[in-house]
Amino acid sequence: MNTTATYTVAELAQLVGATLHGDGSQRVTGVASLDSARPGSVIFAERERDVPRALSSSAAAVVTSLIPGPVTSPAILETTQVRRTFAQICQLLFPGFPMEPVGIHPTAVIDPGAHIGAGVAIGPRVVIHAGVSVGARTVLRAGVVLDEGAVIGEDCYLFPGVVVGRDCRIGHRCVIHPNAVIGGDGFGFTDGFDAALKQPQFGKVVVGDDCEIGACTTIDRGTLDDTVLGDDVKLDNLIMIGHNCQLGNHIRMAAQCGLAGGVIIEDYCVIAGQVGFQNRVRVGRGSLVGGQAGVTRDVAPGSQVWGLPARNHRDVLKELVLLQRLPDIVQRLESAEQLLRQLVPTGTSHDDESGPDLA
């Protein structure tokens, strides 16, 4: 990736707090993978086996924690947090998301009662309803719809096709990716009769500051109370957050997770992909839930769980090892049964018939 911002290797080292080894005068023009390294690029090498190839490349600098010996070219940016440091460099070189011009596109439809902050960019065919408030410097790309009373904070970026429902609130510096829906109705119906009776959804969705919501992710409004996301929540694509869920701060959740209504996930939890959550379960602070787990009961703080139902991941690994041994165990049992039948011929009685007749 080439960028418009340019730095020397030495300048980047200083900005990200890395230790420079070698010549820092070369100007950096972009970042690249190890396979696509080219002159002027910064690459990274986390694994020891990748370091020789990285140091024989034409890159301007290599981000790594491993120093094999004297450094000539490329330069090394030494750090104990390789991926984070590389991400910091990418942030410095990133040209930013595509921008709409500041102002209102002529095809946008905006209710006169909406409040639009200073420096807002509103793209083609955006629809903004009555009572909406859009904070300063926020970008609304093509086709965004903000329903009645929605509030969008400052410095947000909403990609094309995003829908924010009635009275829902988005904090400051949030990024919402294409076709995400914030504030659709929760799945609430009363059954047991000929026709289902819909439960109206009176709550809203409240999203904190510095959150990122992936493409096609849906967050349902609450039934009576609100669905709430804290600050610094990062959601991947294709996630379903049910009505009245409560997500704390600093949560990371990978793609295709599904949360039934009323789920509570406390601060600093990491949820891998394709995890399903039963209604009203609570996941304690700082827990890790492995991919494709099924969370059917509460998870204690600081736990690492996996499997269906989700339980301690070490127990699941032991079970998987035993499962792999199962064919051998079955074969040994069958051999033991066959040997037993040979030792005890069919029809042999175990009763002692030689004793006295007491009848």
Side-chain angles (χ1 to χ4, degrees), residues 4 53 76 80 109 112 144 176 180 199 203-204 215 236 263 278 300 312 316 324 340 346 359:
T4 54
R53 188 153 67 99
I76 286 179
T80 58
V109 179
V144 168
I176 306 179
Q199 166 65 54
K204 56 183 179 288
D236 200 356
V263 171
Q278 189 168 294
N312 184 284
V316 178
Q324 291 176 341
L340 185 61
T346 303

Side-chain angles (χ1 to χ4, degrees), residues 22-321:
D23 181 15
S25 64
Q26 188 171 166
R27 190 155 294 277
V28 173
T29 58
V31 291
S33 67
L34 180 57
D35 292 331
S36 59
R38 58 188 179 276
S41 64
V42 176
I43 61 176
F44 75 96
E46 254 187 327
R47 300 174 298 185
E48 186 174 357
R49 70 186 187 195
D50 291 334
V51 173
R53 188 153 67 99
L55 293 180
S56 64
S57 73
S58 60
V62 178
V63 180
T64 186
S65 61
L66 307 166
I67 310 298
V71 178
T72 54
S73 180
I76 286 179
L77 300 179
E78 182 187 7
T79 175
T80 58
Q81 297 180 310
V82 174
R83 282 186 180 265
R84 185 172 182 86
T85 299
F86 187 74
Q88 289 177 303
I89 292 171
C90 291
Q91 287 278 357
L92 290 168
L93 299 175
F94 181 55
F97 295 131
M99 293 299 293
E100 303 285 351
V102 172
I104 301 172
H105 193 277
T107 62
V109 179
I110 302 178
D111 188 274
H115 170 75
I116 308 299
V120 169
I122 297 177
R125 303 189 185 282
V126 169
V127 178
I128 299 178
H129 288 268
V132 168
S133 176
V134 180
R137 299 171 301 281
T138 282
V139 177
L140 307 177
R141 298 285 306 282
V144 168
V145 176
L146 307 181
D147 221 334
E148 288 89 347
V151 176
I152 312 297
E154 297 180 353
D155 299 297
C156 291
Y157 190 101
L158 276 59
F159 276 87
V162 169
V163 176
V164 180
R166 181 191 72 252
D167 296 326
C168 294
R169 297 175 178 269
I170 309 297
H172 303 304
R173 300 173 301 280
C174 291
V175 176
I176 306 179
H177 288 272
N179 298 317
V181 178
I182 314 300
D185 271 3
F187 189 68
F189 297 90
T190 301
D191 290 317
F193 304 91
D194 290 339
L197 180 65
K198 181 177 175 63
Q199 166 65 54
Q201 306 291 294
F202 294 100
K204 56 183 179 288
V205 176
V206 179
V207 177
D209 297 336
D210 302 298
C211 293
E212 187 153 346
I213 297 169
C216 298
T217 285
T218 62
I219 305 176
D220 287 349
R221 64 177 59 249
T223 303
L224 301 176
D225 299 321
D226 298 335
T227 301
V228 178
L229 277 66
D231 296 335
D232 187 41
V233 174
K234 311 298 187 187
L235 302 180
D236 200 356
N237 304 327
L238 295 168
I239 289 174
M240 163 65 197
I241 307 291
H243 60 272
N244 295 105
C245 289
Q246 308 286 307
L247 275 63
N249 303 316
H250 314 294
I251 289 169
R252 309 289 181 258
M253 188 178 298
Q256 297 184 347
C257 290
L259 281 66
V263 171
I264 298 173
I265 300 181
E266 297 180 359
D267 298 349
Y268 294 101
C269 287
V270 176
I271 314 298
Q274 295 186 329
V275 175
F277 294 82
Q278 189 168 294
N279 290 55
R280 300 183 183 87
V281 297
R282 177 187 289 267
V283 179
R285 177 185 173 97
S287 292
L288 171 65
V289 182
Q292 297 187 324
V295 183
T296 59
R297 58 191 177 193
D298 290 352
V299 175
S303 298
Q304 295 186 21
V305 298
W306 188 31
L308 177 63
R311 53 207 185 277
N312 184 284
H313 80 290
R314 292 184 179 277
D315 293 338
V316 178
L317 290 173
K318 291 177 183 177
E319 292 168 9
L320 289 174
V321 170

Side-chain angles (χ1 to χ4, degrees), residues 6-15 24-28 42 77:
T6 60
Y7 302 88
T8 65
V9 171
E11 288 170 340
L12 283 180
Q14 184 175 11
L15 287 168
S25 64
Q26 188 171 166
R27 190 155 294 277
V28 173
V42 176
L77 300 179

